[in-house]
Amino acid sequence: MARELLGKYLVRRRGKKLERFMITEVEAYDGFKDKASHASRGLTKRNAPMFGKAGVWYVYFTYGMHWMLNIVTGPEDYPAAVLIRGTEGISGPARITKYLKIDKKFNNKSATPKTGLWVESNPRFRNLKLEIKNSPRIGVSYAGSVWSKKPWRFFI
DNA sequence: TAAGTGATCTCT
DNA sequence: GAGATCACTTAA
């Protein structure tokens, strides 16, 4: 799912204006066992959206100043999400939310035009093979040698 | 390299 | 309720 999101558009509606940003960098957080995932210590008030339906935003606040944008994946009751780390023109997960004015008001909301933040396929890339690379995830050294090394960061 | 910043989590 | 931590950014 993380790979699928690469090359697609993150679309933000503000008033009547639509802004589209091609997603270029993501990270996967998968299941109960993933020690790098907020869900590794079970259900909490904060990570609850990760346990819900796929296609819903999980937006949380960290480091006292940054909002992180994730989209929930997987079946209900199975915690998994993809962190949107970068788009064309914006690199860095906190900068995306800063520039697109994304905060807790999107948390637990569906990714649809109705909510003002969603994902669209990219017709430009329908027939183009993207060169996708991967690496360990960023900023998760606390997760131990196994989980911090999982190559679940994907980027174009 | 380190400060900034405050919500959240764990432990008492 | 206290203390530690944090899926980061910026300025030095």
Side-chain angles (χ1 to χ4, degrees):
Chain A
M1 189 61 217
R3 274 183 290 257
E4 284 289 311
L5 284 167
L6 291 175
K8 291 195 164 51
Y9 282 124
L10 179 65
V11 192
R12 178 78 167 98
R13 176 174 50 78
R14 292 171 64 187
K16 288 179 180 171
K17 267 194 152 173
L18 291 186
E19 297 183 299
R20 289 181 169 82
F21 297 87
M22 194 179 79
I23 298 169
T24 57
E25 183 183 351
V26 296
E27 280 179 3
Y29 290 85
D30 183 35
F32 299 91
K33 292 183 190 165
D34 182 358
K35 287 276 181 282
S37 169
H38 290 170
S40 66
R41 289 189 296 272
L43 176 68
T44 67
K45 194 175 172 186
R46 176 173 69 160
N47 68 23
M50 290 185 76
F51 290 75
K53 286 192 168 69
V56 169
W57 298 115
Y58 168 42
V59 183
Y60 68 89
F61 192 62
T62 192
Y63 293 109
M65 55 183 88
H66 301 308
W67 294 99
M68 299 287 110
L69 176 66
N70 301 250
I71 189 157
V72 175
T73 63
E76 265 189 276
D77 300 323
Y78 181 85
V82 176
L83 171 66
I84 312 285
R85 286 192 62 87
T87 68
E88 210 170 30
I90 312 176
S91 83
R95 299 173 97 193
I96 291 174
T97 55
K98 180 182 174 187
Y99 292 131
L100 300 188
K101 300 263 192 295
I102 294 164
D103 60 22
K104 63 173 185 280
K105 65 179 177 286
F106 286 103
N107 190 40
N108 217 17
K109 296 281 196 299
S110 292
T112 66
K114 203 170 186 178
T115 60
L117 185 65
W118 68 101
V119 174
E120 283 180 2
S121 62
N122 182 342
R124 274 201 295 154
F125 285 85
R126 184 159 308 196
N127 299 311
L128 196 68
K129 257 275 199 268
L130 296 174
E131 190 188 349
I132 295 175
K133 299 192 172 181
N134 63 326
S135 80
R137 293 170 291 182
I138 305 296
V140 297
S141 52
Y142 61 86
S145 58
V146 173
W147 293 97
S148 65
K149 287 177 186 160
K150 293 278 182 189
W152 289 354
R153 167 175 174 253
F154 302 92
F155 53 98
I156 298 175

